[in-house]
Amino acid sequence: MSGTHKKLGARHKARKRAVDFLFEAEARDLDPVDLATERAELSGKDDSVAPVAPYTVTVVTGVAENLDRLDEVIRSHLQDWTLERLPAVDRAILRIAVWELFHATDVPPVVAVDEAVELAKQLSTDESPGFVNGILGQVVLVAPQVRSAAAATSRRTETACGESNDAGS
């Protein structure tokens, strides 16, 4: 690692673990949320099982709940390529990054993209970091509209449920 690269923090480790769970769940045809939850519970009972960060479970759950939409977005940015032909690890990395771009409002878009590229460098092929960066560079352009639409939808839901809405109407 070069000296200019920032120290990889807890969120990075949580994302890497989320990639592992998504990859394993796909390979073994398991539900990724069940897998992450079971592994988290097991880590509490068995010291030989690495602890599972809450953010890992959040990411895996978010990806699983939005999988069709995430895959649709990724597919729409693949030129002359199919989602199924991508290495499974790249699919997992892209799904996590797109989920963060659209739903993790506490993660700046540049961080979501940088983290995905870093994970691709660590876990995938030599071509993957550039490929992942290229796809996410396009997705990041639509992310603000998706985020604000999602925020508007959740505000409407809260208002419809009779909760106070300080945003005003």
Side-chain angles (χ1 to χ4, degrees):
M1 284 273 169
S2 66
T4 57
H5 197 278
K6 62 192 174 304
K7 185 173 126 327
L8 300 175
R11 278 270 174 111
H12 178 80
K13 291 184 183 105
R15 286 181 188 95
K16 187 172 188 294
R17 197 79 188 276
V19 170
D20 293 342
F21 286 143
L22 292 172
F23 180 87
E24 181 181 348
E26 184 175 335
R28 297 176 56 203
D29 199 24
L30 300 171
D31 180 286
V33 178
D34 290 347
L35 180 66
T37 306
E38 286 166 15
R39 211 59 61 80
E41 288 169 3
L42 189 59
S43 73
K45 300 174 199 154
D46 182 347
D47 291 341
S48 71
V49 177
V52 178
Y55 192 65
T56 296
V57 178
T58 298
V59 170
V60 169
T61 303
V63 168
E65 288 174 351
N66 296 279
L67 189 62
D68 292 342
R69 175 81 179 108
L70 299 175
D71 284 355
E72 182 185 311
V73 169
I74 295 164
R75 267 192 195 96
S76 72
H77 294 286
L78 294 174
Q79 276 119 14
D80 306 321
W81 205 252
T82 64
L83 190 62
E84 295 70 27
R85 281 179 59 199
L86 292 182
V89 69
D90 290 2
R91 267 196 305 274
I93 291 168
L94 284 167
R95 287 167 173 162
I96 290 168
V98 173
W99 178 80
E100 282 191 319
L101 287 171
F102 288 179
H103 299 281
T105 52
D106 61 328
V107 178
V110 66
V111 172
V113 174
D114 286 351
E115 284 287 316
V117 171
E118 187 58 38
L119 286 167
K121 282 180 189 167
Q122 291 176 359
L123 303 172
S124 197
T125 68
D126 289 345
E127 294 79 37
S128 292
F131 177 78
V132 164
N133 192 47
I135 298 291
L136 295 177
Q138 298 169 46
V139 175
V140 83
L141 301 175
V142 299
Q145 297 93 304
V146 174
R147 278 189 183 187
S148 52
T153 303
S154 64
R155 278 197 300 274
R156 279 199 301 275
T157 305
E158 287 167 12
T159 306
C161 293
E163 294 176 19
S164 69
N165 185 356
D166 296 332
S169 328

